[in-house]
Amino acid sequence: MSEEKVITLKTDRKIFEDIYFSGNQGSLLFSPTTKSKTITTIVAVVILGIAFLLKENLSKDSVGVLYFLSFIFLLCAVFLSVSINKVSRWKKQVSFYLNKLEKCMIYEIRFDQNFFTVNIDGEKETSEWKDFEYFDSSAEFISLEGKYNYMFPKKSMTEKEYNLLKKIAKENIKQ
């Protein structure tokens, strides 16, 4: 493959949103990043609540348990808030990207034997194939990770273009 191939992508926002926000990805409390921390924090609150209800039954020497449980709850809450912040920033970046895609006139991928270029309205990002460290494809999308990270939904291109991109990426990205 010495000649340059060009794939023009459809920029329908819904196609990209279906991929980015699948599986509760956009949920602040129940995304894959925050779900376990949310559950742990809820469990810590329940245990702390029960301990406070039963504090009259504790001896004066056992009151330290309440301080310990309060500390555990605060620790869980801090980890949860950090994860929520991470998801929130990710959502903001994805939203910015989707807004940019929605307004663009040209969204194309150009590649040959050595280079891979993404062009969004004249803003070009070019990488050598060797710059990519990871490639994955599913029934829904192709993702490339390296110097730049990309996700291309299958629905944004023809079946032939999707299979070509998948084949070329598999050949050129050494995992």
Side-chain angles (χ1 to χ4, degrees):
M1 178 190 78
S2 57
E3 83 246 20
E4 183 177 66
K5 304 282 185 194
V6 178
I7 297 174
T8 302
L9 299 164
K10 291 180 238 156
T11 58
D12 182 3
R13 183 183 184 115
K14 175 106 176 79
I15 293 171
F16 287 83
E17 281 179 342
D18 288 347
I19 301 296
Y20 278 113
F21 298 121
S22 67
N24 282 338
Q25 290 277 63
S27 171
L28 292 180
L29 294 176
F30 294 103
S31 73
T33 305
T34 59
K35 185 177 183 176
S36 64
K37 291 171 184 79
T38 300
I39 292 169
T40 304
T41 304
I42 291 169
V43 168
V45 165
V46 168
I47 292 171
L48 185 61
I50 291 169
F52 267 107
L53 290 174
L54 300 174
K55 75 178 176 182
E56 282 79 33
N57 296 341
L58 294 174
S59 66
K60 290 190 179 202
D61 296 334
S62 302
V63 175
V65 170
L66 291 176
Y67 292 118
F68 177 73
L69 292 175
S70 297
F71 174 73
I72 296 296
F73 163 69
L74 287 173
L75 200 58
C76 290
V78 167
F79 282 125
L80 177 60
S81 68
V82 168
S83 292
I84 287 172
N85 188 31
K86 183 178 175 183
V87 170
S88 177
R89 279 187 283 132
W90 174 81
K91 279 180 68 173
K92 192 179 285 186
Q93 289 173 338
V94 168
S95 183
F96 176 77
Y97 173 71
L98 294 176
N99 288 338
K100 182 178 174 180
L101 278 187
E102 203 170 39
K103 296 173 187 168
C104 83
M105 302 308 256
I106 299 170
Y107 186 18
E108 63 185 15
I109 306 167
R110 295 178 171 272
F111 51 89
D112 59 23
Q113 197 168 350
N114 300 314
F115 296 99
F116 182 86
T117 302
V118 174
N119 176 11
I120 301 175
D121 278 344
E123 245 181 77
K124 295 179 182 176
E125 293 177 343
T126 301
S127 302
E128 291 185 70
W129 283 109
K130 66 180 181 176
D131 293 338
F132 291 104
E133 300 158 2
Y134 180 75
F135 153 76
D136 188 26
S137 67
S138 70
E140 302 293 320
F141 62 91
I142 293 175
S143 67
L144 306 172
E145 295 178 15
K147 179 179 169 185
Y148 302 107
N149 295 330
Y150 301 106
M151 186 278 306
F152 304 111
K154 184 177 184 175
K155 292 179 182 177
S156 67
M157 59 188 93
T158 66
E159 185 77 29
K160 183 180 175 187
E161 291 170 332
Y162 183 80
N163 290 327
L164 174 66
L165 179 59
K166 185 163 79 170
K167 177 183 172 246
I168 298 301
K170 192 179 278 188
E171 290 173 0
N172 287 300
I173 299 173
K174 310 295 182 238
Q175 295 188 43

